[in-house]
Amino acid sequence: MSFILGSSKKKLKPRDSLIAGGLSGITTRACVSPFDVLKIRFQLHVGPLAKGGSGFNSVLLSSVTQIFKKEGLQAFWRGHTSAQLLSITYSSTQFAVFEKAASIAWELVPTHTPKPLVSFVCGGMAGISASLVSAPFDTVRTRMIMQRHPPVYKGIFDAFRKILSREGVGGFYRGVLPNLLQVFPAAGLRFGVYSSCLVIYTRLFSCKEVSPTMSFIFGACSGVCSKTVTLPFDMAKKRLQVQGFREAAQREGCKKIPKYTGLIHCVRSISRHEGYLGLYKGGFPSLLKAFLSTGLSFASYNVFSGLIYTYQQYDAT
């Protein structure tokens, strides 16, 4: 049994946490997919940004207009099926592992241990577990978003088949090192900051639960804090994920994605040729997406968890 986030009394079985997490992932992904597509396109733009933000504005505006004019509105949901598979596996694993880890942790650590600290550690463990489980879907999603007509991959299953045959299992885990380096602090901060907001709010207003609106606000704040710290690792991950697929990453106004030998070479190359700000490409859509997605993720998880809990209580009577 595990606690529903934001509740001091309600508990769910691990299976129910998986279900609530999966439903939360579906809801969140459907809403934020356009920001994700834009972020990935922006991150894979090669070249330094002009000072004063003009480079950022020009590439961002150009990306939006070019995608809409040449590829249509549906392009903002390109790779959506693979993205949903990613979101379902990641979200369900993340919340289920967090809930289980947190319930075990509170049986082991002293009662005076700060709740945000426990949430940070358990959240980091949950993030790593979810990333390892969902990494193949993340790679396929990134490549599906980047391809144009004629497409390299005809669909998700074709993408899995071609990547496996041409690059082996390792092809699905390109960029996994920077992802794991960022995911522990990223997920830890999301859960830790959310927990901190929860503790402060419940103490100030002497309540034991929070509304979906407050859950969204706490989650949004935690998402922005987390993404601000880990954005350079996300940038490197995306560049490494399209290795072996560089010919399909060339777009109007963009150079081909360079070949990187690894994480350190990738970071050094971006810093040298695109400037240190190059590590923060896609920052605005990334932060906006983090604000919306993390807020929606926590809020919808609590809503679905509450519905499952209510149904169980009703069914028990």
Side-chain angles (χ1 to χ4, degrees):
M1 302 285 282
S2 54
F3 289 101
I4 298 176
L5 296 175
S7 173
S8 60
K9 294 183 178 180
K10 298 177 181 178
K11 296 181 179 181
L12 287 179
K13 296 179 180 178
R15 177 199 62 192
D16 299 322
S17 295
L18 277 171
I19 295 173
L23 292 173
S24 171
I26 292 173
T27 303
T28 302
R29 177 61 59 183
C31 295
V32 303
S33 182
F35 298 101
D36 209 27
V37 170
L38 187 59
K39 179 200 74 169
I40 292 174
R41 294 285 184 93
F42 198 82
Q43 286 178 326
L44 296 180
H45 169 80
V46 179
L49 295 178
K51 294 182 178 181
S54 59
F56 169 85
N57 293 331
S58 61
V59 175
L60 181 61
L61 181 60
S62 175
S63 296
V64 174
T65 56
Q66 291 299 319
I67 291 173
F68 181 74
K69 288 182 179 180
K70 295 190 173 183
E71 303 173 57
L73 184 63
Q74 68 275 12
F76 290 100
W77 278 269
R78 176 167 288 170
H80 186 63
T81 303
S82 57
Q84 280 289 12
L85 291 173
L86 163 66
S87 194
I88 292 169
T89 54
Y90 187 96
S91 184
S92 59
T93 303
Q94 174 186 242
F95 282 113
V97 171
F98 174 81
E99 295 277 28
K100 187 63 177 180
S103 64
I104 294 174
W106 283 117
E107 295 177 357
L108 301 176
V109 301
T111 54
H112 61 270
T113 304
K115 185 176 180 180
L117 178 60
V118 175
S119 295
F120 176 85
V121 175
C122 293
M125 294 170 58
I128 288 179
S129 301
S131 293
L132 290 174
V133 171
S134 62
F137 298 108
D138 193 17
T139 297
V140 169
R141 176 198 60 149
T142 298
R143 297 195 182 190
M144 293 288 289
I145 288 175
M146 285 309 302
Q147 69 177 357
R148 294 178 68 182
H149 295 292
V152 176
Y153 307 122
K154 298 178 181 178
I156 297 174
F157 296 109
D158 185 54
F160 273 100
R161 182 180 61 81
K162 288 182 177 177
I163 293 173
L164 183 62
S165 63
R166 296 172 182 175
E167 305 172 50
V169 176
F172 294 112
Y173 287 89
R174 291 184 183 271
V176 71
L177 177 58
N179 190 40
L180 292 180
L181 288 175
Q182 70 151 339
V183 77
F184 187 92
L189 281 171
R190 284 197 297 271
F191 283 95
V193 173
Y194 180 89
S195 179
S196 297
C197 293
L198 191 64
V199 169
I200 294 172
Y201 181 84
T202 53
R203 287 179 179 176
L204 283 176
F205 295 95
S206 300
C207 57
K208 295 183 178 180
E209 297 184 19
V210 296
S211 67
T213 300
M214 295 310 301
S215 184
F216 174 87
I217 294 173
F218 297 160
C221 291
S222 70
V224 170
C225 291
S226 172
K227 181 57 69 176
T228 300
V229 173
T230 60
L231 186 59
F233 292 104
D234 188 49
M235 172 69 174
K237 181 189 75 171
K238 293 305 178 189
R239 289 289 180 90
L240 290 171
Q241 280 182 329
V242 294
Q243 296 296 294
F245 187 61
R246 297 193 310 279
E247 70 280 356
Q250 187 176 15
R251 334 207 124 261
E252 290 190 18
C254 301
K255 302 175 183 178
K256 285 186 177 180
I257 300 298
K259 183 176 182 179
Y260 304 116
T261 58
L263 172 60
I264 295 176
H265 178 244
C266 178
V267 173
R268 286 179 176 176
S269 179
I270 293 173
S271 301
R272 183 182 302 115
H273 299 293
E274 304 173 51
Y276 289 106
L277 287 178
L279 294 170
Y280 288 87
K281 282 184 175 180
F284 178 74
S286 291
L287 290 175
L288 183 56
K289 180 209 166 188
F291 179 89
L292 294 173
S293 65
T294 314
L296 284 170
S297 179
F298 278 104
S300 58
Y301 176 76
N302 277 335
V303 168
F304 287 123
S305 295
L307 290 174
I308 292 173
Y309 177 82
T310 301
Y311 172 77
Q312 291 177 341
Q313 296 302 303
Y314 176 80
D315 190 53
T317 58

